[in-house]
């Protein structure tokens, strides 16, 4: 935490991107207050209105206000991707720590499962899993968690293997430290900063994948306002009503860029290239 606070003072890019991330989160939280219309209210007489003073982003085929839907879509998209990142982080890091610390057959089983998952194209496997389970945001998050945890498992395993050889860990073992105590006190504090930075840097990529599943019909379902789903709904009117795809696409683009820049700057602030320390 102290490192991040110092980063605000010394790294202007990190401070700016952190403010932008905070703004995105605040927009998502305050969507019910900011949105001028109900995002699911249909008014057929207002269908396909061009962007203007009454409807800033125009309306869709059902006459729903696109500005309100984009704002509410921030809630669905950001909530979905944050839950996805958290689940991938927890599952992958836990599997990697267990594999690296205990080794032996446990390590072999977990790493062979990881190899099997990596051998399949990730997005295609996620589509297959989500298709079997049925289209919903929860199922899309579950499917992407299954195909994405291997990266975190391999990274955390390699870091645990490195920390295990440090003198302070060997001293703790000699002094009778239990596996639980060694993991919580000596190993996890040394690998968590790097794992958190990796998760932060992956938010943008995982948002693209989650939006992709919704676009293909395996994520959020109508009439929910979600950016990927809005792109799918507007693709048939690309030539006659381009704003239906432009504004949710712009929202995805801006959000992904902001989180990618924030993750890169967070890495620079924390400087994970240095060796792990006690």
């Amino acid at each position: 935490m102290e490192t991040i606070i110092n980063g605000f003072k010394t790294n202007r890019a990190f401070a700016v991107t952190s403010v932008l991330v905070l703004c995105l989160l605040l927009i998502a939280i305050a969507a019910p207050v900011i949105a001028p219309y109900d995002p699911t209210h249909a008014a057929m007489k207002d269908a396909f209105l061009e962007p203007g003073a009454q409807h800033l982003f125009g309306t869709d085929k059902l006459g729903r206000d696109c500005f309100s839907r984009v704002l509410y879509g921030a809630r669905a998209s950001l909530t979905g991707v944050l839950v996805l990142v958290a689940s991938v982080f927890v599952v992958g890091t836990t599997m990697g720590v267990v594999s690296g610390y205990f080794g032996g057959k446990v390590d072999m089983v977990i790493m062979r499962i990881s190899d099997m998952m990596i051998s399949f194209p990730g997005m295609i496997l996620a589509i297959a899993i989500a298709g079997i389970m049925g289209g919903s945001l929860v199922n899309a998050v579950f499917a992407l968690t299954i195909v994405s945890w291997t990266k975190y498992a391999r990274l955390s395993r390699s870091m645990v293997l490195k920390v295990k050889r440090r003198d302070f860990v060997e001293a703790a073992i000699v002094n009778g430290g239990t596996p639980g105590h060694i993991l919580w006190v000596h190993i996890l504090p040394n690998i968590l900063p790097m794992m958190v930075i990796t998760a932060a840097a992956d938010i943008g990529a995982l948002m693209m994948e989650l939006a992709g599943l919704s676009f293909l019909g395996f994520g959020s379902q109508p009439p929910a306002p979600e950016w990927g789903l809005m792109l799918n709904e507007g693709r048939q009117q690309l030539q006659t009503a381009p704003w239906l795809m432009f504004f949710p696409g712009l929202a995805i683009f801006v959000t992904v860029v902001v989180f990618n820049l924030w993750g890169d700057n967070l890495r620079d602030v924390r400087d994970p290239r240095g060796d792990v320390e006690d």
Side-chain angles (χ1 to χ4, degrees):
M1 182 61 68
E2 182 179 353
T3 302
I4 295 178
I5 294 176
N6 292 333
F8 275 99
K9 301 177 181 179
T10 59
N11 191 317
R12 182 175 299 178
F14 175 68
V16 171
T17 52
S18 296
V19 171
L20 292 176
V21 168
L22 181 61
C23 288
L24 290 173
L25 295 176
L26 289 177
I27 289 173
I29 294 172
V33 178
I34 302 174
Y37 299 96
D38 183 345
T40 60
H41 176 69
M44 297 301 297
K45 62 183 180 63
D46 295 330
F48 296 123
L49 292 180
E50 295 184 357
Q54 186 175 3
H55 299 281
L56 294 179
F57 291 176
T59 61
D60 61 10
K61 62 183 179 181
L62 298 178
R64 297 173 298 190
D65 181 64
C66 291
F67 179 63
S68 300
R69 290 181 63 78
V70 168
L71 290 177
Y72 273 86
R75 307 187 81 187
S77 298
L78 289 177
T79 300
V81 74
L82 291 178
V83 172
L84 172 60
V85 170
S87 61
V88 171
F89 173 84
V90 171
V91 173
T93 302
T94 300
M95 298 290 280
V97 169
V98 170
S99 176
Y101 183 79
F102 293 101
K105 293 183 178 179
V106 174
D107 181 37
M108 182 182 67
V109 171
I110 294 177
M111 286 300 101
R112 295 300 76 78
I113 295 175
S114 174
D115 292 339
M116 291 172 56
M117 300 300 298
I118 293 176
S119 64
F120 292 97
M123 196 61 180
I124 295 178
L125 182 58
I127 290 173
I129 296 173
I132 293 173
M133 298 182 63
S136 74
L137 187 61
V138 173
N139 291 343
V141 169
F142 180 78
L144 288 173
T145 300
I146 291 178
V147 303
S148 303
W149 66 270
T150 56
K151 171 184 176 180
Y152 291 80
R154 288 180 171 275
L155 177 59
S156 59
R157 174 181 178 272
S158 66
M159 296 181 67
V160 168
L161 291 176
K162 184 177 181 179
V163 175
K164 276 177 61 177
R165 296 193 292 267
R166 301 294 292 269
D167 293 339
F168 60 85
V169 175
E170 295 181 354
I173 296 175
V174 171
N175 290 329
T178 63
H181 173 81
I182 294 173
L183 286 173
W184 281 105
V185 176
H186 298 288
I187 293 182
L188 284 178
N190 281 280
I191 71 170
L192 280 181
M194 179 60 177
M195 299 304 301
V196 170
I197 291 172
T198 302
D202 283 347
I203 292 177
L206 290 175
M207 171 169 282
M208 290 290 291
E209 294 183 5
L210 191 59
L213 285 181
S214 294
F215 177 80
L216 295 173
F218 299 106
S220 295
Q221 300 297 306
E226 196 272 342
W227 292 339
L229 177 61
M230 292 175 67
L231 286 175
N232 182 39
E233 292 176 340
R235 63 186 175 85
Q236 294 180 349
Q237 288 81 33
L238 178 60
Q239 294 183 343
T240 58
W243 60 85
L244 296 181
M245 292 195 70
F246 176 78
F247 290 112
L250 180 63
I252 294 174
F253 172 78
V254 171
T255 304
V256 169
V257 169
V258 168
F259 275 106
N260 283 345
L261 292 176
W262 180 67
D264 290 341
N265 290 318
L266 180 61
R267 180 183 291 111
D268 294 337
V269 169
R270 184 58 179 81
D271 189 20
R273 294 171 295 180
D275 293 334
V276 290
E277 299 175 352
D278 186 14

